[in-house]
Amino acid sequence: MAMSGHWSHKTLFLATLTLLICFIACAEKGQKRVMTEAPKANTIQYVSGLKITSPARKSTFRSGSEVVVTWKLTYGIQADSLQLLYDNQVVATLPGTDTLYTFKSGKTVGVRNIKMQAYYADGKSAVAVVPVTVLPAAPKGFKYKVVATHAHDRSSFTQGLYYKDGFLFEGTGQYGASALLKVEPSSGKIVTKIPIKDKYFGEGIAELNGKIFQLTWMNGLCLSYDATTLQPLKSYSYASQGWGLTTDGKNLIMSDGSNKLTILSPDNFEQLRQIQVYDSNGPVEQLNELEFVDGVVWANIWQSNRVVAIDIESGAVVGEVDFSTLLTPAERKTLDDIDHVLNGIAYDKSRDIFYFTGKCWPKIFEIQIAR
């Protein structure tokens, strides 16, 4: 009985303590508890108060040259810090008192942006942007040697060309006459011909991941085929004209008649990036048929006898070939149209041989280029 009484007193004590806690809690229940929070960071407000004084807008520089940037702050209070960006990449973070910085422009050519941003203690910021143009050194003039000539079907309005396993694959144009061809190089004989619908004007072709891709000029549509059977597969959309097409072995590279090359995913034709193509004089327009060889894109310049070699990373034209004497004057007289121009580049890596032809030309040329 003594043990039982002991536990009864303890139980009574615990019950009383519990009631007391509950009473205190109920008393506080109606009171509003104040929580202290850290102040939120101020959203940056942009103000006018910064001007890049040099270089001037649209200034021109050689790739790899020094660029001297100067600026002036006019907001009215001293900046805490400054940030200089070139081509959307941070070049330097500087004290707010600085007014000059020098950096090198790098190898990438074309129109690039110099951006300066000032940050102030009151949470405000000022921004200035100046576009400049970066040009490469003059391209090398490559010499060439004709190794062999072969017959070329005069009805083939050549738009795309590549070499694989002893055959040339050719994409041809013109409404009602466009096709994908498999050609025997030595004879010019068309082994297989896959016509495309009359409403399409065929353009450049390339093979990647077991598929042949064929652009159309104005339809914004790329056709694809099984590379072995040449049976048509799905089509892909793009938002520009289609001119030339090649591949670096991973992605597709497309031209649209401008001075830009567009890198595309072969899975869905998503645009991955664009490359501005410039030589030492400025933008190189009318890029047409393409062939990728060891980091360089070889490109026909439409309505000319000039072929340029473009560094795929920088966009710089690093070399060029003049093919104005490839056809004899007599052969040129046999061409029926002003559009029957040089167009079509393929490459046989095993022999280090290029194939060149033109729209409705009588010949395909095997050529060695000293580069």
Side-chain angles (χ1 to χ4, degrees), residues 79-361:
D80 276 1
S81 63
L82 302 160
Q83 198 169 59
L84 176 64
L85 297 91
Y86 176 71
D87 224 11
N88 295 320
Q89 300 295 319
V90 176
V91 173
T93 300
L94 307 165
T97 54
D98 282 12
T99 58
L100 180 148
Y101 191 83
T102 301
F103 69 95
K104 287 192 175 181
S105 62
K107 294 182 178 180
T108 304
V109 300
V111 178
R112 326 314 302 180
N113 284 328
I114 296 172
K115 179 181 178 181
M116 177 63 68
Q117 188 155 355
Y119 298 92
Y120 299 96
D122 62 1
K124 294 183 172 61
S125 179
V127 177
V129 180
V130 167
V132 297
T133 301
V134 178
L135 299 178
K140 295 179 180 179
F142 295 141
K143 302 295 183 181
Y144 70 90
K145 177 183 177 181
V146 176
V147 177
T149 59
H150 308 292
H152 180 242
D153 180 36
R154 289 293 305 268
S155 67
S156 294
F157 194 83
T158 308
Q159 300 288 72
L161 196 68
Y162 74 85
Y163 175 90
K164 185 180 179 183
D165 297 336
F167 291 94
L168 286 170
F169 291 81
E170 186 172 359
T172 67
Q174 301 287 36
Y175 291 111
S178 296
L180 173 66
L181 310 177
K182 183 177 181 180
V183 179
E184 186 178 72
S186 60
S187 65
K189 177 183 176 183
I190 297 173
V191 177
T192 307
K193 181 175 183 177
I194 310 295
I196 65 176
K197 293 180 180 180
D198 290 354
K199 64 180 180 180
Y200 297 140
F201 191 117
E203 286 281 351
I205 60 172
E207 182 178 335
L208 182 61
N209 299 340
K211 296 178 183 178
I212 298 174
F213 297 87
Q214 183 174 27
L215 299 176
T216 59
W217 179 28
M218 300 290 284
N219 300 91
L221 196 69
C222 178
L223 312 174
S224 69
Y225 310 81
D226 182 280
T228 302
T229 66
L230 301 187
Q231 290 301 305
L233 300 174
K234 66 181 296 185
S235 59
Y236 305 85
S237 298
Y238 49 90
S240 66
Q241 291 186 22
W243 284 43
L245 193 67
T246 189
T247 175
D248 61 4
K250 181 181 178 181
N251 297 308
L252 296 167
I253 306 170
M254 182 176 79
S255 66
D256 60 9
S258 70
N259 75 310
K260 293 182 177 65
L261 295 177
T262 303
I263 312 300
L264 300 163
S265 166
D267 299 324
N268 53 18
F269 251 62
E270 176 189 359
Q271 179 177 314
L272 303 178
R273 66 188 179 102
Q274 278 195 322
I275 299 161
Q276 301 177 52
V277 178
Y278 277 67
D279 65 11
S280 54
N281 296 313
V284 180
E285 306 281 351
Q286 308 280 42
L287 298 174
N288 199 0
E289 222 280 282
L290 310 173
E291 182 73 11
F292 181 89
V293 180
D294 298 329
V296 172
V297 174
W298 295 79
N300 281 118
I301 307 302
W302 185 58
Q303 289 288 359
S304 83
N305 295 302
R306 184 189 184 203
V307 171
V308 296
I310 305 160
D311 179 85
I312 193 62
E313 294 302 321
S314 67
V317 173
V318 296
E320 60 184 2
V321 186
D322 180 5
F323 283 120
S324 58
T325 60
L326 195 56
L327 290 178
T328 67
E331 287 170 334
R332 287 193 177 277
K333 286 183 179 179
T334 66
L335 302 179
D336 301 325
D337 194 285
I338 60 171
D339 286 331
H340 292 173
V341 294
L342 179 72
N343 203 54
I345 311 171
Y347 180 68
D348 178 359
K349 185 174 184 178
S350 65
R351 299 168 58 217
D352 191 25
I353 289 291
F354 286 87
Y355 289 87
F356 285 92
T357 190
K359 304 170 192 274
C360 302
W361 276 25

